[in-house]
């Protein structure tokens, strides 16, 4: 790969972006790609076998971890046992992280009783990996002999899931000369500084000497695997790496279906993790998070955040989300307002609540009930009048009027208080507690102060495991019917439409209808009925409105706004009003089994340009790969259809004597249309009109 100068006609078209970006394509004929692989002999030598000896338990575990790395999985210590007499370790069992059965996952708790502990940190190193369990039996059991040496007593080699052999340049298996040639073609300015020894770690915190070359090699290998992989780099005034962004092909395709709400999570930039990792997170139709893009940032400035947002926006062809969720931060606020002015900018509720101990610690030491009262004010207020009254009562009671953070929260109340979220869909990404699925996955890559090499290894394995889990959820939703726990017509209706994960959450609300008692309070001028629904399970009264003419419903609990399906309070009102089906407007396509089938398909007759046709076909091909790879049967159907389509197209092309564009589309034009490149790999270099320090 190489970086080419900007196209002469549009060199300053996106000066504000200040990025060097790469979309994949075929390698130039004169620069053969480096194939990074472990030698077969070295893999065999690293494979455990019975009677193999070690000096210590630690040496045995390090050996098994090295074996895991070469084969393509992660290893943990499952169990170890000490002698009752000496107290020393006498045996240990090392297993694949997918060892053990996957437990049933519970629905997200929303009550203040659970949310008051949202700020409590996990113990260092205690990471929940239960989300990825497949009951894999792969393991190595070692025992300590009387002479103090350790020996392998048993070894199970077979895994029941796919393995991900790292090929991203994380192991030093390439010759330095060939690697340098490739890096110079990828990014001449970085390679130039590396050769002079100025700084090959860039200006990103946590990057070590040589990490820039590791990252660029990783990007290059990812583009080898899939040309739809996108990355961008930001250089400072001294041409050192300042910010980085990348998005894999699946994340870019997922955005087409699940890009309505995006969480821009800067938590890892501020916590104890070594690498300043900033992910763009979405939620798919199985209530599983998806990575829509990732980045490393040099600092918490507006310019860095704005650059990262622009780079991500380019990766999704300029399609801004309806809602962008972030932490409450003035620099983030300015950056989002500048780059995404049309998006509804909200603060993640968990981010706000988790800051209470940090911001109000001085008041908490004097008033232990502060957190409970704060949660009650935020989560229980159903009208603006109730919120304002509770807020100022809270502020005066705990003497917080002079607190700047409290003042800023009230100024920004429209961005985070649940009462103000009416008609703003948040896709389950904003809740009183941080989503456990995000914690368990991303913490594995970052919590233990991982180096860049370790991070990239874990990141690649994590992506593969996420795809595997999503494929299983997709298969189950189509092939198996969820169990109905009540004769409710709403349950029967949605069991055919929702995915299993969404229906499981929805069915909790269906079952909760029996604990609700509605009472008609009156009617507005526009024929909207107003009910008070007493929820005896939560011991709370909620205001519910229903307009029969427009089929508009609303509940003060904001279940639909936060999670995207109707609550028990609305359903009991529908029931007494004789409405036996969920109105279509309250069935969000993003939660259905059919979300990936035909949504957003373009009219083929309206595409005149060959470049546009190429880009459209590429996106359709990525989508086909997503749905056709679920099982062998769909794979056979897809490959047969593609081969037949290719034969027909070749036949038509050969019959046509005059072709509008006989040669391949121009690299630059393709980059301009959709960021896809055919033929030689090109990279657009956009020179910022304003140099960054």
């Amino acid at each position: 790969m190489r970086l080419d100068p900007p196209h002469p006609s549009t060199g300053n078209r996106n000066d504000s972006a200040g990025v060097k970006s790469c979309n994949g394509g075929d390698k130039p004929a004169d620069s053969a790609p480096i194939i990074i692989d472990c030698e077969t002999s070295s893999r065999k030598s690293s494979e455990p076998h019975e009677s193999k000896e070690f000096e210590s338990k630690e040496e045995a575990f390090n050996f098994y971890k090295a074996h895991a790395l070469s084969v393509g999985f992660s290893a943990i210590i499952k169990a170890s046992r000490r002698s009752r007499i000496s107290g020393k370790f006498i045996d240990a069992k090392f297993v694949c992280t997918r060892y053990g059965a996957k437990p049933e996952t519970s629905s997200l708790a929303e009550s203040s009783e659970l949310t008051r502990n949202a700020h409590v940190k996990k113990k260092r190193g205690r990471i929940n990996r239960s989300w990825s369990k497949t009951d894999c039996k792969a393991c190595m059991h070692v025992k300590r002999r009387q002479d103090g040496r350790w020996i392998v007593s048993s070894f199970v080699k077979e895994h029941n899931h796919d393995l991900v052999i790292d090929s991203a340049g994380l192991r030093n298996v390439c010759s330095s000369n060939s690697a340098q040639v490739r890096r110079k073609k990828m990014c001449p300015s970085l390679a130039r500084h590396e050769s002079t020894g100025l700084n090959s770690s860039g200006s990103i915190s946590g990057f070590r000497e040589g990490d820039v070359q590791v990252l660029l090699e990783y990007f290059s290998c990812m583009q080898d695997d899939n040309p739809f992989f996108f990355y961008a780099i930001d250089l400072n005034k001294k041409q050192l790496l300042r910010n980085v962004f990348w998005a894999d092909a699946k994340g870019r395709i997922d955005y087409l279906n699940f890009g309505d709400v995006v969480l821009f999570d800067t938590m890892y930039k501020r916590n104890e993790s070594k690498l300043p990792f900033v992910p763009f997170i979405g939620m798919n139709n199985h209530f599983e998070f998806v990575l829509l893009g990732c980045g490393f940032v040099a600092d918490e400035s507006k310019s860095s955040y704005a650059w990262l947002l622009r780079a991500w926006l380019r990766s999704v062809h300029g399609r801004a989300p309806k809602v962008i969720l972030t932490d409450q931060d003035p620099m983030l606020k300015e950056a989002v307002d500048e780059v995404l002015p049309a998006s509804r900018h909200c603060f993640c509720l968990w981010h706000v609540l988790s800051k209470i101990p940090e911001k109000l610690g001085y008041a908490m030491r004097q008033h232990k009930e502060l957190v409970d009262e704060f949660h009650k004010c935020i989560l229980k207020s159903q009208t603006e009048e109730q919120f304002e009254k509770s807020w100022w009562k809270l502020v005066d009671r705990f003497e917080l009027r002079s607190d700047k953070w409290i003042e800023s929260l009230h100024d920004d109340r429209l961005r985070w208080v649940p009462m103000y979220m009416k008609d703003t869909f948040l896709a389950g990404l904003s809740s009183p507690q941080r989503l456990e699925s995000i914690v368990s996955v991303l913490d594995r890559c970052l919590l233990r102060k991982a180096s860049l090499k370790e991070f990239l290894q874990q990141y690649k394995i994590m992506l593969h495991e996420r795809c595997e889990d999503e494929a299983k959820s997709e298969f189950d939703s189509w092939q198996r019917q969820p169990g109905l726990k009540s004769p409710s017509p709403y349950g029967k209706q949605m069991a055919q439409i929702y995915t299993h994960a969404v229906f499981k959450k929805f069915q909790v609300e269906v079952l909760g209808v029996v604990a609700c008692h509605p009472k008609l309070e009156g009617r507005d001028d526009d024929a909207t009925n107003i009910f008070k629904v007493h929820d005896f399970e939560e011991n709370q009264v909620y205001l519910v409105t229903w307009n029969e003419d427009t089929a508009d419903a609303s509940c003060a609990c904001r279940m639909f706004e936060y999670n995207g399906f109707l609550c028990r309070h609305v359903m009991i009102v529908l029931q007494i009003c004789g409405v036996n089906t969920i109105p279509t407007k309250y069935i969000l396509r993003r939660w259905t089994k059919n979300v990936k089938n035909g949504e957003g398909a373009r009219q083929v007759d309206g595409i005149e340009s060959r470049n546009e046709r190429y880009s459209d076909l590429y996106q359709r091909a990525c989508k086909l790969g997503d749905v056709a790879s679920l099982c062998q049967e769909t794979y056979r159907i897809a490959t047969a259809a593609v081969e037949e389509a290719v034969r027909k197209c070749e036949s038509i092309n050969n019959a046509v004597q005059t072709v509008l564009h006989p040669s391949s589309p121009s690299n630059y034009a393709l980059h301009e249309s959709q960021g896809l490149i055919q033929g030689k790999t090109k990279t657009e270099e956009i020179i910022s009109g304003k140099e960054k320090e």
Side-chain angles (χ1 to χ4, degrees):
M1 297 185 60
R2 69 171 178 269
L3 294 177
D4 291 285
H7 193 275
S9 63
T10 57
N12 296 321
R13 179 178 52 83
N14 282 332
D15 286 350
S16 60
V19 299
K20 295 174 181 286
S21 63
C22 296
N23 283 288
D26 298 330
K27 293 278 180 270
D30 60 348
S31 65
I34 298 172
I35 306 300
I36 303 175
D37 195 7
C38 288
E39 296 294 336
T40 304
S41 59
S42 65
R43 286 187 187 170
K44 289 183 177 179
S45 66
S46 67
E47 184 170 292
H49 57 83
E50 292 188 14
S51 77
K52 185 172 180 63
E53 296 182 6
F54 306 94
E55 290 292 335
S56 64
K57 179 171 74 78
E58 290 73 23
E59 181 182 345
F61 183 48
N62 288 335
F63 174 84
Y64 191 67
K65 285 198 297 183
H67 164 70
L69 183 67
S70 67
V71 173
F73 68 98
S74 298
I76 57 172
I77 301 176
K78 176 64 177 176
S80 55
R81 186 163 60 95
R82 294 179 184 268
S83 168
R84 295 182 179 178
I85 300 175
S86 65
K88 296 181 179 180
F89 285 108
I90 56 175
D91 70 22
K93 187 175 184 178
F94 315 132
V95 303
C96 171
T97 53
R98 293 198 158 206
Y99 186 97
K102 183 175 181 179
E104 280 290 315
T105 56
S106 59
S107 60
L108 182 65
E110 296 287 342
S111 65
S112 60
E113 177 66 25
L114 292 176
T115 60
R116 76 175 60 159
N117 293 322
H119 62 273
V120 178
K121 292 184 178 180
K122 284 190 169 188
K123 292 183 179 179
R124 180 185 296 272
R126 304 287 291 184
I127 303 171
N128 179 12
R129 294 184 175 90
S130 61
W131 62 271
S132 63
K133 303 301 184 184
T134 64
D135 202 22
C136 178
K137 302 299 183 183
C139 65
M140 185 176 82
H141 191 189
V142 294
K143 293 185 177 181
R144 184 176 180 271
R145 298 190 311 203
Q146 291 184 350
D147 62 359
R149 292 182 63 81
W150 290 71
I151 188 172
V152 176
S153 62
S154 65
F155 170 62
V156 178
K157 177 181 178 180
E158 291 75 22
H159 296 257
N160 66 354
H161 54 90
D162 290 342
L163 302 175
V164 187
I165 299 176
D166 176 51
S167 60
L170 306 185
R171 294 185 295 277
N172 297 322
V173 296
C174 302
S175 68
S176 59
N177 290 337
S178 58
Q180 286 175 6
V181 169
R182 182 162 187 161
R183 287 194 301 275
K184 289 176 181 178
K185 291 185 176 182
M186 291 173 64
C187 190
S189 59
L190 290 177
R192 191 163 56 244
H193 287 302
E194 184 181 319
S195 64
T196 60
L198 180 59
N199 190 342
S200 62
S201 63
S203 59
I204 298 178
S205 172
F207 270 43
R208 303 173 183 174
E209 190 74 17
D211 275 356
V212 169
Q213 70 189 58
V214 169
L215 193 62
L216 293 179
E217 282 292 332
Y218 173 78
F219 290 160
S220 179
C221 289
M222 291 298 284
Q223 284 191 340
D224 286 343
D225 293 340
N226 195 315
F228 206 45
F229 179 87
F230 176 99
Y231 76 88
I233 58 176
D234 178 31
L235 306 181
N236 65 11
K237 184 178 180 180
K238 297 180 180 179
Q239 291 294 290
L240 298 179
L241 187 64
R242 185 172 183 266
N243 300 303
V244 181
F245 170 81
W246 72 95
D248 65 274
K250 187 180 185 307
R252 300 179 73 186
I253 296 300
D254 280 339
Y255 185 79
L256 299 176
N257 297 311
F258 311 114
D260 48 354
V261 185
V262 175
L263 170 62
F264 183 45
D265 193 354
T266 56
M267 188 204 76
Y268 288 102
K269 176 71 183 78
R270 298 185 176 92
N271 76 355
E272 59 186 4
S273 70
K274 186 174 183 180
L275 295 169
F277 181 64
V278 181
F280 291 82
I281 298 171
M283 188 75 76
N284 70 9
N285 58 331
H286 303 288
F287 258 97
E288 300 167 345
F289 87 88
V290 289
L291 282 175
L292 306 175
C294 305
F296 291 125
V297 291
D299 51 46
E300 299 177 42
S301 65
K302 173 190 171 183
S303 61
S304 287
Y305 287 141
W307 180 89
L308 201 61
L309 287 167
R310 285 194 181 95
W312 170 69
L313 198 58
R314 291 184 64 200
S315 75
V316 296
H317 315 306
R319 293 176 52 177
K322 294 179 181 178
V323 176
I324 180 80
L325 287 160
T326 71
D327 189 6
Q328 187 214 17
D329 177 89
M331 297 297 100
L332 269 173
K333 185 178 176 182
E334 291 182 19
V336 171
D337 290 346
E338 178 181 305
V339 181
L340 302 171
S343 299
R344 170 87 153 95
H345 183 199
C346 299
F347 300 149
C348 183
L349 185 56
W350 177 84
H351 279 154
V352 174
L353 297 180
S354 66
K355 286 184 176 181
I356 295 177
E358 174 192 348
K359 301 292 187 178
L360 302 179
Y362 67 93
M364 289 176 60
R365 287 189 288 271
Q366 300 177 26
H367 307 283
K368 294 183 179 180
E369 69 277 17
L370 172 59
V371 175
D372 285 339
E373 293 300 318
F374 194 95
H375 286 181
K376 182 179 178 181
C377 171
I378 301 307
L379 302 175
K380 300 295 184 181
S381 298
Q382 298 185 29
T383 65
E384 184 174 1
E385 182 181 358
Q386 286 181 1
F387 170 73
E388 289 294 330
K389 182 178 179 180
S390 298
W391 179 267
W392 294 114
K393 181 179 178 181
L394 175 81
V395 168
D396 291 336
R397 177 180 174 183
F398 299 109
E399 301 177 347
L400 300 174
R401 279 192 178 265
S402 61
D403 190 279
K404 296 298 183 183
W405 184 63
I406 288 292
E407 182 181 345
S408 69
L409 285 182
H410 187 264
D411 291 342
D412 291 327
R413 60 192 180 279
L414 299 182
R415 298 179 186 266
W416 67 279
V417 177
M419 195 280 301
Y420 293 104
M421 293 297 110
K422 184 178 180 180
D423 300 326
T424 301
F425 175 55
L426 301 173
L429 285 169
S430 181
S431 64
Q433 284 186 304
R434 189 169 181 234
L435 296 179
E436 184 63 26
S437 60
I438 297 177
V439 174
S440 61
V441 176
L442 296 183
D443 279 4
R444 181 171 65 175
C445 297
L446 290 164
L447 189 61
R448 296 184 177 181
K449 297 183 178 291
S451 67
L452 179 64
K453 289 184 178 181
E454 293 168 336
F455 167 81
L456 292 176
Q457 165 68 8
Q458 291 296 325
Y459 174 81
K460 192 168 185 180
I461 292 175
M462 179 266 292
L463 284 183
H464 184 83
E465 291 176 345
R466 298 302 298 171
C467 289
E468 220 176 36
D469 291 342
E470 183 180 339
K472 184 179 183 301
S473 298
E474 195 79 9
F475 182 84
D476 289 344
S477 290
W478 280 104
Q479 301 299 323
R480 301 172 185 172
Q481 286 297 318
L484 291 173
K485 298 181 179 180
S486 81
S488 169
Y490 307 131
K492 292 178 181 178
Q493 175 192 5
M494 303 316 299
Q496 305 297 320
I497 299 173
Y498 283 153
T499 61
H500 282 192
V502 178
F503 180 75
K504 183 177 180 180
K505 293 177 179 292
F506 175 74
Q507 187 162 238
V508 172
E509 297 305 307
V510 172
L511 297 174
V513 167
V514 298
C516 297
H517 178 72
K519 181 181 179 181
L520 180 62
E521 289 293 305
R523 177 177 294 201
D524 284 348
D525 295 336
D526 60 352
T528 297
N529 293 315
I530 303 174
F531 294 84
K532 280 189 176 181
V533 177
H534 190 169
D535 189 329
F536 289 95
E537 184 176 328
E538 298 181 6
N539 194 27
Q540 176 82 7
V541 177
Y542 293 97
L543 290 175
V544 177
T545 62
W546 165 249
N547 188 308
E548 188 173 352
D549 296 334
T550 62
D552 288 333
S554 176
C555 180
C557 76
R558 299 289 180 257
M559 169 71 75
F560 185 78
E561 283 80 359
Y562 273 84
N563 291 326
F565 47 81
L566 288 183
C567 62
R568 61 190 70 182
H569 317 119
V570 170
M571 282 190 277
I572 188 63
V573 169
L574 294 180
Q575 185 174 302
I576 66 172
C577 291
V579 181
N580 296 321
T581 58
I582 302 296
T584 305
K585 66 172 65 179
Y586 296 109
I587 303 175
L588 300 186
R589 183 180 173 84
R590 66 160 358 268
W591 293 141
T592 68
K593 293 182 283 188
N594 290 309
V595 65
K596 297 180 181 179
N597 298 342
E599 178 70 7
R602 299 175 63 180
Q603 296 294 323
V604 295
D605 294 336
I607 303 178
E608 301 294 338
S609 163
R610 182 183 180 185
N611 294 333
E612 289 182 330
R613 290 196 295 269
Y614 178 87
S615 297
D616 183 60
L617 285 170
Y618 198 99
Q619 291 189 46
R620 292 174 188 269
C622 289
K623 205 168 185 179
L624 175 64
D626 195 29
V627 298
S629 60
L630 292 179
C631 65
Q632 192 65 26
E633 183 179 357
T634 56
Y635 173 71
R636 289 196 188 100
I637 293 172
T639 52
V642 169
E643 290 173 359
E644 178 63 20
V646 170
R647 282 195 294 269
K648 288 182 177 180
C649 291
E650 287 178 342
S651 176
I652 293 174
N653 288 338
N654 291 335
V656 176
Q657 298 299 318
T658 304
V659 180
L660 187 60
H661 299 288
S663 60
S664 297
S666 68
N667 294 329
Y668 183 77
L670 279 176
H671 180 77
E672 285 297 291
S673 65
Q674 290 290 343
L676 302 176
I677 301 174
Q678 184 183 33
K680 290 187 177 181
T681 302
K682 288 274 189 179
T683 300
E684 178 190 9
E685 179 178 0
I686 300 176
I687 304 175
S688 176
K690 179 180 177 182
E691 290 184 315
K692 293 183 175 65
E693 294 297 328

